[in-house]
Amino acid sequence: MFDGGGAGGFDMSNLLAQAQAMQDQLMQAQANLETQEVEGSAGGGLVGAVVSGTGELLRLDIKKEAVDPEDTETLADLIVAAVRDASENAKAAAAQAMGPLANGIPGFGGPADDGSSPELPGGGIGFTKPSGPPGQNPA
């Protein structure tokens, strides 16, 4: 079925090597994200949050000016906003770190596919988004 990469063929060993290299790069990027610290803040810096690159909350920094025993609701809102800001920053850092790896292997569909593969229309392996309602075969 596969002829080893001849004219119009399919080089399975090259594909496996690319997949292994991508997996190694993905694992390294994930390990780097686990050790990365990302900051967020709210209330003009009254509350700061630090999360790991994977989104785990590591630290909260609350300035004395933010603490009002008569208004704990505002402090709670600031904490939530600071953690949310840090989490969004972590997502952006993860997207930047994983971006090139998330595109997939060209010629197999997905974002990296430029549609130039001569073997299949659209360049992918034949998977497309359905055009009809859920549960229906496309026309």
Side-chain angles (χ1 to χ4, degrees):
M1 180 171 209
F2 298 116
D3 68 3
F10 190 80
D11 186 353
M12 188 62 133
S13 63
N14 185 32
L15 174 64
L16 292 174
Q18 284 181 343
Q20 182 63 47
M22 285 180 65
Q23 182 179 16
D24 293 344
Q25 291 172 349
L26 181 62
M27 290 175 65
Q28 180 63 42
Q30 287 174 331
N32 290 342
L33 284 173
E34 289 174 4
T35 61
Q36 186 176 7
E37 292 188 0
V38 183
E39 297 180 10
S41 66
L46 288 176
V47 177
V50 178
V51 299
S52 70
T54 57
E56 179 184 357
L57 180 62
L58 302 174
R59 250 183 352 265
L60 280 175
D61 301 311
I62 303 171
K63 292 188 177 179
K64 290 180 183 181
E65 305 86 62
V67 181
D68 178 359
E70 302 297 320
D71 186 14
T72 58
E73 190 174 310
T74 298
L75 178 57
D77 289 343
L78 289 173
I79 291 170
V80 169
V83 171
R84 185 174 292 136
D85 185 45
S87 294
E88 290 298 319
N89 292 341
K91 285 180 190 176
Q96 184 176 3
M98 301 289 189
L101 302 175
N103 286 336
I105 300 173
F108 283 87
D113 192 354
D114 65 1
S116 63
S117 175
E119 288 81 23
L120 294 171
I125 58 173
F127 296 110
T128 62
K129 291 183 180 181
S131 59
Q136 302 295 316
N137 290 330

